[in-house]
Amino acid sequence: MNNILDSFSLKGKVALITGASYGIGFAIASAYAAAGATIVFNDIRQELVDKGLASYKEIGIDAHGYVCDVTDEAAVQKLVATIEKEVGVIDILVNNAGIIKRIPMCDMTAEQFRQVIDVDLNAPFIVSKAVIPGMIRKGHGKIINICSMMSELGRETVSAYAAAKGGLKMLTRNICSEYGEQNIQCNGIGPGYIATPQTAPLRERQPDGSRHPFDSFIVAKTPAARWGTTEDLMGPAVFLASDASNFVNGHILYVDGGILAYIGKQP
Ligand code: NAP
Ligand code: GCO
């Protein structure tokens, strides 16, 4: 048996991580680079791509960055063709780009609902559809969809986000079903509550200096009694992108500190 750690190597692989100028995508891309992959990322604005390129350079990663709105199918098709020409055929896709709107459902407009569905569910379909033909030509591929606690649970004010992330769980299972025979593994990562810009409003200190009630709530709901960090996601993401997971397909790997298993600490 060769060294089992070799099966976690991403050496020689091209990885596209969407929306990865910062946050969870940036952490996953950094982990992939450390495992040997060539990093490609996109973001919606040039200044964000430039910021991301500088951040990657700061940690010694020579990433390839492109401006692309993942909800724009023509732009995504063009992006993938450009990547294949300039970098190489994509071996690993992480559908990470995402937004959330925290609005009570009856106050949310249909347009606002559609915007969230567009980025968090339609876009993973669009990008996966653009990338899969290259993976089939190569004879292998890894697609990792960034799901959520809201792929399993609802909560007030996140109806669109929960609908999208629930749908993304089933899109993950369907890509597994449809392309498993072409040696494409499609899995999801379901992060718990992670300290990033997206959750900053849920953690900000109150005017009296006390913790945000939601901050205390999540700590009580998490056996690890803490928020997750983007670093907590790195190992699971490398596993799902590597040969070590070649017989793992259609699975949502929850990296949540145990939230889904726990009724929560008695107040
Ligand atoms: P974040 O800090 O808000 O970063 C999201 C990234 O996606 C940003 O770079 C954003 O760019 C980009 N993006 C948004 N819309 C885009 C579009 N149409 N085209 C291209 N890029 C776009 O979020 P995060 O916390 O890192 O979360 C990343 C993913 O993990 C999301 O799918 C999120 O739903 C999921 N997630 C997060 C948590 C958590 O607790 N943080 C937990 C579970 C799942 P802009 O800055 O221009 O918007
Ligand atoms: C919220 C949070 C969550 C996290 C994440 C949990 O408002 O409840 O933003 O949705 O982002 O998805 O897994």
Side-chain angles (χ1 to χ4, degrees):
M1 149 87 92
N2 294 334
N3 181 336
I4 184 67
L5 293 180
D6 294 342
S7 66
F8 289 83
S9 169
L10 303 183
K11 203 154 179 273
K13 299 290 172 71
V14 174
L16 168 61
I17 304 93
T18 65
S21 293
Y22 56 87
I24 286 173
F26 183 85
I28 289 175
S30 307
Y32 286 3
T38 297
I39 301 306
V40 186
F41 74 101
N42 72 295
D43 225 306
I44 201 161
R45 299 191 301 274
Q46 187 61 53
E47 61 267 32
L48 265 179
V49 171
D50 294 342
K51 170 180 173 282
L53 287 169
S55 304
Y56 285 113
K57 207 144 197 72
E58 259 172 44
I59 55 174
I61 297 173
D62 197 10
H64 302 260
Y66 298 88
V67 177
C68 179
D69 176 348
V70 291
T71 65
D72 178 342
E73 185 164 27
V76 167
Q77 295 278 351
K78 185 164 174 279
L79 169 72
V80 171
T82 303
I83 294 168
E84 291 186 351
K85 191 160 146 260
E86 296 181 354
V87 186
V89 176
I90 294 160
D91 300 282
I92 301 160
L93 167 65
V94 180
N95 285 306
N96 167 78
I99 61 171
I100 191 167
K101 291 184 189 297
R102 300 183 182 96
I103 304 167
M105 186 175 141
C106 291
D107 299 338
M108 180 180 265
T109 65
E111 181 49 32
Q112 288 169 323
F113 188 92
R114 270 192 290 270
Q115 284 167 1
V116 176
I117 298 290
D118 217 11
V119 180
D120 295 4
L121 181 56
N122 293 345
F125 162 78
I126 287 169
V127 184
S128 301
K129 179 184 161 191
V131 167
I132 283 170
M135 292 179 168
I136 292 174
R137 287 198 304 274
K138 268 195 135 170
H140 64 256
K142 296 280 187 180
I143 298 175
I144 294 108
N145 292 321
I146 306 300
C147 297
S148 161
M149 292 289 94
M150 274 61 218
S151 297
E152 301 295 342
L153 303 168
R155 85 171 185 85
E156 301 78 4
T157 77
V158 296
S159 58
Y161 185 83
K165 293 297 187 179
L168 185 56
K169 173 174 74 172
M170 287 315 300
L171 177 63
T172 301
R173 291 179 177 162
N174 216 75
I175 294 172
C176 149
S177 308
E178 206 162 340
Y179 296 101
E181 206 170 347
Q182 281 77 35
N183 192 28
I184 293 172
Q185 291 85 48
C186 182
N187 294 287
I189 286 178
Y193 280 82
I194 311 294
T196 72
Q198 191 244 49
T199 54
L202 305 175
R203 290 177 284 108
E204 63 198 7
R205 286 279 170 187
Q206 301 302 282
D208 64 1
S210 62
R211 296 176 76 156
H212 192 297
F214 196 88
D215 178 1
S216 308
F217 168 66
I218 287 303
V219 169
K221 285 286 285 178
T222 309
R226 67 173 175 87
W227 282 71
T229 66
T230 56
E231 287 72 25
D232 290 321
L233 299 166
M234 289 171 140
V238 168
F239 166 64
L240 288 178
S242 72
D243 289 341
S245 62
N246 282 350
F247 205 54
V248 177
N249 212 352
H251 183 74
I252 311 299
L253 178 55
Y254 287 100
V255 185
D256 66 351
I259 294 179
L260 287 178
Y262 185 39
I263 195 169
K265 190 176 289 302
Q266 185 182 347

